[in-house]
Structures are given as structure tokens and as C-alpha cells.
């Protein structure tokens, strides 16, 4: 989510807010949380992400724990991902939908031997918890909100796995996406999730909140030894938009359905059986298209439209912008936005409230 300035002091904040301020970080709002926007020059942080690695404070999460013998079956019935077949050490990304197919939350699930961690966004923490809880009636499942006792950092870049290997001895390179391990880093117990950030290798560490300051210090030191740096979310926003990755809360929310947001292949398992919202998902799938689609945008004059800016084509309403960032690869701003089907082809010229825009295919080709 694009940073907003000034940032309201009443917003929730990362547990390391004062530590980051002491390091001269500029603070912005991301996913409704005060987090570092940048620690230094944004393009230097972007280059480090592309060529080495960066350490990112990702404490915009909400984390829940499901225990009890029915936990897999229960979550499988309310999420779009296949939770039923997850074994300890495996994970999946899915969606929590309304019966009408609209997106309430994006939820990553990680199976442990005795429980399942479900990780969403703090901005929908209360709504997610109440929705996940309300169908527990006859099931032998216990749900606990552990957000206040946990935190997360993410390493992004080609050398992210090297940092993990050096600190923990774990080799992430052979693990499938969303697989995870328990490891000790600098005497701190952490759960390490292997995934990607856009098209870059990444690893997210989940640890106890009391250990976050010490864990950050260990990770920062090891990252710097590999030409890495701490990075704010402004640089990582550029990386993910160049990769065409949508963010919950800015590019999709409860106003859209998965196919409109382009999530039908990454977030939905079509073989798993029934779940909330499945009827709508299958109806759209059988129809073969939606009337609007999240699409890539380029703004060649370096004017960066705000989220919500209307897009027109030859005077006709075409859609609106959801998020933007400067693309070092193209040398101009890029973004995502919802476009009517007839305007979503690459190369289509658009107007963004007086600024020229063009539909582009994402991810960008290197």
C-alpha cells in the first residue's frame, strides 16, 4: 500500500518503531500500520533487493493459531486453499470469502505438528478472527489470536537464502513455496517460511515479539556482510509492482472477487471440495471471463496518480488506479488498476485525470 504522509500517530505501529526512528528511518503507513518507508535512498534499497538482499520489517500481519483434531478439515471448509492435505512443514496461500465470493482476507496457512498458523493482515484482524471463529460449532477446534505475541521480518533478494543458511544452517533452496522450518538464529527460535517477493527469493521469519529487536540486529549484521541493507516498503513496493503482484488492502479487498484481482490461479484450489464462496468462484470460472480485471499501468510523463484516480479511454470511463510506485527499470511510475475488459489490452492509451497512461503487461521483462 502506498505510504501516506503525514502518518497518523494513532495508527498501530511496528514494535520496533522507536528503534527504526533512531536509525533515521522515514515512517509511512502500509496496510494500516506505521512501518519504515525508507532507511536511506530508495533506489539504493531497490538495487540491494535486486542484486543482494534487504531486511524488511513486515509487522503488518495478524496471526492466529488453530489447534484440535478438526483444524485441517475446518479451515479447508472456509478457505479457498487446500488446507485439508497440509502436512507439518507445508503451507498454502488462500482467501477468506463471503458467500457472495468477495474477498474478506488473504490468509497464509502453515501446518505444524500440533496446530496450524493462519497469517492475515492486521488491518482486518478483528473481522478475520470473528469470521474464522463463528463457524466453530460442532468441530473440535480451538482458535487463538497470537498477533500481540508474535512478529515478522522478511529477507528479500538473491542472497536472502544465504543469510538464512549462514545463520541457521538451513538450506531453503530445495523447499517448495510456503514450506517452513523451525530454526535457531542467534539463540532465537524462529519459524522460517520460504516464498518469493514478486519475482525475488524471500524468507519470512516468525518469532516471539520479545525477541524481535535482537533478531533484527542479527539479521541486519548478516545481511550487510552480503552487501545487503535494511529497506523500507517503498522500495519493495516498486519490486512487487514490476512483478505484477497485487497487495491486499490496496489492489483487492471486499469489493472484488478473486478473478477480477487475477488471483484465480495463485490463491484457489479447484480440487479441494466445498468452501464458503465456492459457488460464485465456479460460476465465474465456467463463464470464462469477468467484466473488469486488475491490469498493469505505465505513466510515461512521471506523473504518479493517486490511488482511486479515474481512468478514461477516448472520453469513456475505463476504470481506476489502485496503487503506484516508481519503476527504476522503466524510469517512470507504474501501477495497477481495474479496467473494463475492452480496455485491458497491452498498449491501450488511457487518461488518468489529465495525465497520460498506458496499459502494460506485468511482470516487466528484464
Amino acid at each position: 500500500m502506498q505510504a501516506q504522509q503525514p502518518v497518523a500517530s494513532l495508527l498501530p505501529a511496528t514494535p520496533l518503531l522507536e528503534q527504526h526512528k533512531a536509525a533515521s528511518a522515514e515512517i509511512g503507513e502500509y496496510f494500516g500500520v506505521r512501518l519504515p518507508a525508507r532507511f536511506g535512498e530508495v533506489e539504493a534499497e531497490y538495487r540491494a533487493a535486486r542484486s543482494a538482499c534487504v531486511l524488511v520489517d513486515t509487522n503488518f500481519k495478524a496471526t492466529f493459531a488453530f489447534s484440535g483434531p478438526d483444524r485441517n478439515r475446518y479451515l479447508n471448509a472456509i478457505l479457498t486453499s487446500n488446507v485439508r492435505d497440509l502436512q507439518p512443514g507445508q503451507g498454502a496461500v488462500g482467501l477468506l470469502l463471503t458467500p457472495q465470493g468477495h474477498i474478506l482476507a488473504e490468509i497464509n496457512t502453515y501446518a505444524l505438528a500440533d496446530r496450524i498458523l493462519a497469517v492475515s493482515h492486521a488491518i482486518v484482524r478483528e473481522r478475520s478472527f470473528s469470521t474464522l471463529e463463528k463457524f466453530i460449532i460442532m468441530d473440535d477446534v480451538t482458535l487463538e489470536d497470537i498477533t500481540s505475541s508474535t512478529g515478522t521480518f522478511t529477507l528479500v533478494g538473491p542472497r536472502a537464502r544465504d543469510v538464512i543458511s549462514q545463520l541457521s544452517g538451513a538450506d531453503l533452496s530445495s523447499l517448495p513455496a510456503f514450506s517452513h522450518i523451525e530454526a535457531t538464529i542467534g539463540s532465537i527460535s524462529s519459524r522460517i517460511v520460504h516464498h518469493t517477493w514478486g519475482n525475488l527469493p524471500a524468507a519470512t521469519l516468525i518469532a516471539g515479539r520479545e525477541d524481535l529487536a535482537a533478531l533484527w540486529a542479527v539479521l541486519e549484521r548478516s545481511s550487510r556482510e552480503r552487501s545487503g541493507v535494511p529497506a523500507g516498503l517503498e522500495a519493495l513496493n516498486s519490486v512487487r509492482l514490476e512483478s505484477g503482484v497485487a497487495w491486499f488492502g490496496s489492489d483487492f479487498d471486499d469489493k472484488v472477487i478473486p478473478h477480477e484481482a487475477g488471483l484465480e490461479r495463485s490463491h484457489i484450489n479447484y480440487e479441494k471440495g466445498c468452501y464458503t464462496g465456492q459457488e460464485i468462484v465456479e460460476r465465474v470460472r465456467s463463464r470464462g471471463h469477468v467484466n473488469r480485471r486488475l491490469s498493469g499501468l505505465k505513466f510515461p510523463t512521471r506523473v504518479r496518480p493517486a490511488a482511486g484516480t479515474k481512468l478514461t479511454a477516448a472520453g469513456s470511463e475505463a476504470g481506476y488506479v489502485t496503487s503506484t510506485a516508481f519503476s527504476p527499470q522503466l524510469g517512470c511510475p507504474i501501477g495497477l488498476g481495474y479496467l473494463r475488459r475492452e480496455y485491458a489490452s497491452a498498449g491501450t492509451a488511457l487518461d488518468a485525470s489529465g495525465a497520460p497512461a498506458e496499459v502494460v503487461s506485468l511482470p516487466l521483462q528484464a
Side-chain angles (χ1 to χ4, degrees):
M1 181 176 290
Q2 188 172 320
Q4 305 291 323
Q5 296 294 337
V7 179
S9 60
L10 295 179
L11 287 172
T14 168
L16 299 190
L17 180 65
E18 296 307 318
Q19 182 173 325
H20 294 325
K21 286 182 176 179
S24 300
E26 181 179 319
I27 304 301
E29 177 194 345
Y30 295 87
F31 306 100
V33 177
R34 285 176 290 161
L35 290 160
R38 60 177 76 183
F39 286 86
E41 182 189 356
V42 174
E43 288 206 28
E45 294 175 6
Y46 169 91
R47 290 194 299 271
R50 289 290 189 193
S51 63
C53 66
V54 291
L55 174 61
V56 187
D57 186 334
T58 49
N59 278 292
F60 52 79
K61 309 290 183 66
T63 305
F64 312 118
F66 287 82
S67 58
D70 296 335
R71 60 187 183 274
N72 288 69
R73 189 211 62 78
Y74 178 74
L75 278 169
N76 197 68
I78 56 176
L79 299 180
T80 62
S81 51
N82 182 2
V83 186
R84 177 193 59 211
D85 298 328
L86 287 183
Q87 299 299 311
Q90 295 179 337
V93 59
L95 301 168
L96 178 65
L97 304 179
T98 68
Q100 295 75 35
H102 287 222
I103 302 170
L104 289 174
E106 180 182 45
I107 297 184
N108 288 20
T109 46
Y110 306 116
L112 284 65
D114 60 344
R115 56 184 176 155
I116 294 175
L117 299 181
V119 181
S120 183
H121 291 74
I123 197 170
V124 289
R125 176 182 175 183
E126 289 79 12
R127 184 176 71 182
S128 297
F129 184 87
S130 63
T131 305
L132 291 168
E133 181 186 42
K134 72 178 181 179
F135 297 113
I136 302 176
I137 302 172
M138 301 298 292
D139 302 275
D140 191 352
V141 176
T142 299
L143 170 59
E144 181 183 4
D145 185 344
I146 59 172
T147 304
S148 61
S149 61
T150 59
T152 66
F153 301 136
T154 301
L155 289 162
V156 180
R159 299 179 185 171
R161 296 167 182 154
D162 296 339
V163 172
I164 296 299
S165 178
Q166 187 266 330
L167 291 174
S168 70
D171 180 10
L172 301 182
S173 60
S174 62
L175 294 180
F178 304 111
S179 295
H180 50 97
I181 59 171
E182 186 77 21
T184 300
I185 293 181
S187 77
I188 299 166
S189 178
S190 302
R191 182 153 300 276
I192 304 172
V193 181
H194 183 225
H195 61 105
T196 58
W197 189 292
N199 57 4
L200 292 174
T204 289
L205 296 92
I206 305 172
R209 186 154 293 206
E210 70 279 3
D211 294 322
L212 293 181
L215 182 60
W216 179 272
V218 172
L219 293 170
E220 180 181 356
R221 183 168 58 250
S222 183
S223 297
R224 290 189 182 278
E225 291 172 356
R226 289 159 179 79
S227 302
V229 295
L233 283 159
E234 188 171 346
L236 274 295
N237 191 30
S238 294
V239 170
R240 68 96 184 180
L241 281 174
E242 289 182 343
S243 304
V245 175
W247 269 356
F248 177 80
S250 54
D251 303 307
F252 62 97
D253 54 22
D254 59 6
K255 298 179 181 65
V256 301
I257 62 175
H259 291 75
E260 293 175 328
L263 304 175
E264 69 272 17
R265 295 182 180 178
S266 57
H267 288 60
I268 297 174
N269 183 289
Y270 293 97
E271 310 298 328
K272 55 164 283 178
C274 297
Y275 57 88
T276 303
Q278 183 195 24
E279 181 180 350
I280 303 300
V281 168
E282 290 297 335
R283 186 184 306 167
V284 174
R285 182 189 184 194
S286 64
R287 189 171 65 188
H289 70 267
V290 286
N291 293 327
R292 63 175 181 172
R293 182 82 172 182
L294 193 64
S295 305
L297 301 167
K298 178 174 73 172
F299 307 98
T301 61
R302 300 176 70 93
V303 174
R304 185 176 167 186
T309 299
K310 290 183 178 180
L311 297 166
T312 59
S316 298
E317 185 175 338
Y320 61 94
V321 176
T322 58
S323 60
T324 61
F326 181 77
S327 167
Q329 187 172 331
L330 291 183
C332 66
I334 61 171
L336 290 171
Y338 283 97
L339 293 173
R340 293 182 59 85
R341 195 156 45 97
E342 58 267 34
Y343 302 115
S345 299
T348 300
L350 301 169
D351 180 275
S353 296
E358 179 185 334
V359 182
V360 295
S361 296
L362 298 175
L364 297 178
Q365 299 301 311

